[in-house]
Amino acid sequence: MITAATMRDPGAMRHRSMLFVPGSNASMMSTAYVYGADAIMFDLEDAVALREKDSARLMVFHALQSPVYAGTDTVVRINPLDTPYGRDDLEACVRAGARTIRLPKTDSADDIRELEHEVEDVERDCGREVGSTRLMAAIESASGVVNAVEIAQASPRMVSIALAGFDYVIDLQTTRSREGTELFYARCAVLHAARVAGIAAYDVVWSDVNDEEGFLAEVELIKRLGFNGKSLVNPRQVPLLHEAFAPTEDELAHAQVVVAAAEKAERDGLGVVSLGGKMIDAPIIVAARRTIAFADASGVRRQERHA
Ligand SMILES: CC(C)(COP(=O)(O)OP(=O)(O)OC[C@H]1O[C@@H](n2cnc3c(N)ncnc32)[C@H](O)[C@@H]1OP(=O)(O)O)[C@@H](O)C(=O)NCCC(=O)NCCSC(=O)C[C@@](O)(CC(=O)O)C(=O)O
Ligand SMILES: [Mg+2]
C-alpha cells in the first residue's frame, strides 16, 4: 500500500533548490548536474516550443537514464494532461524512472487524482514498483490557490507544492513586481497548504538572473515566511539560495547547545530544561534540530557541543 510515510523521504523536505532545465536544450541538460542544485527539473512545458515537444521528450527520456543523473533527484515538469503532449510526457518520464513528476497549472485535487491514476497505469505497464513515482503540483491560478489544501492532500504520492508566479499574476489580472506584493496571499496559502499536508513548499522563480540584490531580498522574504526553497532558472542562483538558507556558525552553535541540553535533560529524567536562565521547550528543540538539518544540507561545519 502506498502511504505518505513511504513516499516522503526526509531528504526531499530538506531540498532548497529546484533548477529548471529546458528539455529541448541538449547543452544545458548535459551539464546541469554539476551546479549542485538539490533537484534538477527537466522542463517539457513552457520552456519548450511546440515544434520541439517530441524531440525534447526523447532527450529527457535519455537524460533520466544517464549515469550522470543517477545520484540526482530528478523532477520532470510535464505538459498538462489536457494538452496533446501531457500523456506522452508522463509515459516517457515514468518509464525512464523520473523520481518526481511536476504537474503545472494544477487547479484542483481532481487534477492530481487523474495524474495519480495515469502514473499508476504506466508503473504497472512497465514493471516499475507501484508508488515509486512521486508527485508535486505547481499552483498557477486563483483556483489553484483557493484549492491548495485539497491539492496538497490529494495523494500520498504528493511530496511538494510550488507557487508559479508568472502564470498566477496573469490569472489575477496583475503583473509581477520586484517586491512581490501581489504574491503575498498566494504565498501564504500555498505554504499553509503544504504544512497541513506535511509536504514541502517551493516559491516562485526569479527571472532577472542579473538582479542578484532583488533575488536575495526575495529569498530572505520566503525564508522568513517558512518556504523550504525555490524553483530556479539559472545555475548562478543555486549558491546564492543555498548560502542564504544556511544557518550562520553562531546559529548552528546555539542549536547544537540547545539539542545537547535537551538530550541531557531527557537522560536525567527532567521535563524542563534551562539554558542560561531561559526555558527550552519542545518548539525550541524542534527549531534547533531544523537548524542543524539545514546546516548539514548547506555543508556548514559542525563542532562537538556539550550541555
Ligand atoms: C534565464 C536564462 C535565459 C539566462 O540566460 P543567460 O545566457 O544569461 O545564462 P548564463 O548565466 O550566462 O549561463 C551560463 C551557463 O549556464 C548555463 N545555463 C543557464 N541556465 C541554465 C539552466 N537553467 N540549466 C542548466 N544550465 C544553464 C548556460 O548554458 C551557460 O553554460 P555555458 O555556455 O556552458 O557557460 C537561462 O538561464 C535559461 O534559459 N534558463 C531556463 C529558463 C526556463 O527554464 N524557463 C522555464 C521555467 S520558468 C516558467 O515556466 C514560469 C513558471 O511556469 C514557473 C513555475 O512554474 O515555477 C511560472 O508560471 O511562473
Ligand atoms: Mg507557468
Side-chain angles (χ1 to χ4, degrees):
M1 192 175 88
I2 310 166
T3 65
T6 55
M7 291 305 300
R8 281 168 210 146
D9 79 78
M13 288 293 283
R14 283 205 292 274
H15 281 7
R16 301 147 295 175
S17 52
M18 190 172 281
L19 178 65
F20 270 111
V21 182
S24 50
N25 191 318
S27 143
M28 285 186 187
M29 282 175 52
S30 66
T31 53
Y33 66 94
V34 304
Y35 300 115
D38 294 323
I40 292 290
M41 178 167 34
F42 298 121
D43 187 22
L44 294 172
E45 199 217 10
D46 285 352
V48 176
L50 291 185
R51 65 173 189 284
E52 292 182 320
K53 292 286 186 194
D54 292 335
S55 54
R57 184 183 310 117
L58 194 59
M59 284 207 288
V60 169
F61 177 79
H62 289 298
L64 287 167
Q65 296 169 89
S66 156
V68 299
Y69 283 106
T72 306
D73 203 349
T74 48
V75 180
V76 181
R77 180 167 79 166
I78 62 169
N79 285 279
L81 293 179
D82 61 359
T83 66
Y85 317 104
R87 285 190 160 68
D88 288 345
D89 293 347
L90 185 65
E91 166 136 21
C93 298
V94 174
R95 279 183 185 277
R99 292 200 72 192
T100 306
I101 303 292
R102 171 160 160 151
L103 187 68
K105 304 186 173 71
T106 308
D107 290 335
S108 71
D110 280 347
D111 293 342
I112 294 298
R113 285 191 279 267
E114 182 189 12
L115 176 68
E116 179 181 39
H117 182 74
E118 297 283 333
V119 167
E120 186 162 334
D121 278 356
V122 181
E123 282 174 344
R124 283 190 201 290
D125 209 40
C126 68
R128 286 207 177 270
E129 185 191 341
V130 170
S132 56
T133 315
R134 307 186 300 202
L135 306 181
M136 68 174 291
I139 303 291
E140 317 204 22
S141 67
S143 300
V145 169
V146 168
N147 295 326
V149 173
E150 288 78 21
I151 291 170
Q153 293 179 309
S155 161
R157 293 176 185 252
M158 285 287 289
V159 287
S160 55
I161 185 165
L163 180 63
F166 283 91
D167 278 298
Y168 173 71
V169 294
I170 292 172
D171 196 42
L172 223 60
Q173 302 181 15
T174 182
T175 52
R176 183 83 170 80
S177 68
R178 197 161 179 268
E179 68 282 0
T181 317
E182 66 289 345
L183 297 179
F184 191 67
Y185 175 74
R187 277 182 167 140
C188 293
V190 164
L191 185 59
H192 278 75
R195 295 298 168 252
V196 169
I199 63 177
Y202 290 93
D203 187 49
V204 301
V205 299
W206 180 266
S207 63
D208 184 353
V209 297
N210 293 324
D211 181 3
E212 208 171 280
E213 197 188 321
F215 175 75
L216 286 173
E218 185 162 273
V219 169
E220 274 311 311
L221 171 71
I222 61 120
K223 183 182 163 195
R224 166 108 335 254
L225 287 174
F227 277 88
N228 297 75
K230 215 168 162 47
S231 308
L232 304 176
V233 290
N234 186 276
R236 283 182 272 152
Q237 297 174 328
V238 175
L240 294 174
L241 177 71
H242 288 186
E243 206 170 303
F245 264 75
T248 63
E249 286 191 9
D250 284 351
E251 286 167 340
L252 173 59
H254 180 68
Q256 285 181 271
V257 171
V258 167
V259 169
E263 286 170 353
K264 180 171 186 309
E266 201 178 323
R267 281 196 304 274
D268 296 346
L270 296 173
V272 180
V273 193
S274 162
L275 196 62
K278 282 193 192 153
M279 189 183 80
I280 304 294
D281 56 3
I284 291 179
I285 298 164
V286 169
R289 290 209 162 101
R290 192 164 174 262
T291 300
I292 293 170
F294 266 127
D296 286 347
S298 312
V300 179
R301 205 157 42 92
R302 280 211 222 181
Q303 286 174 8
E304 276 305 302
R305 310 262 169 204
H306 301 285

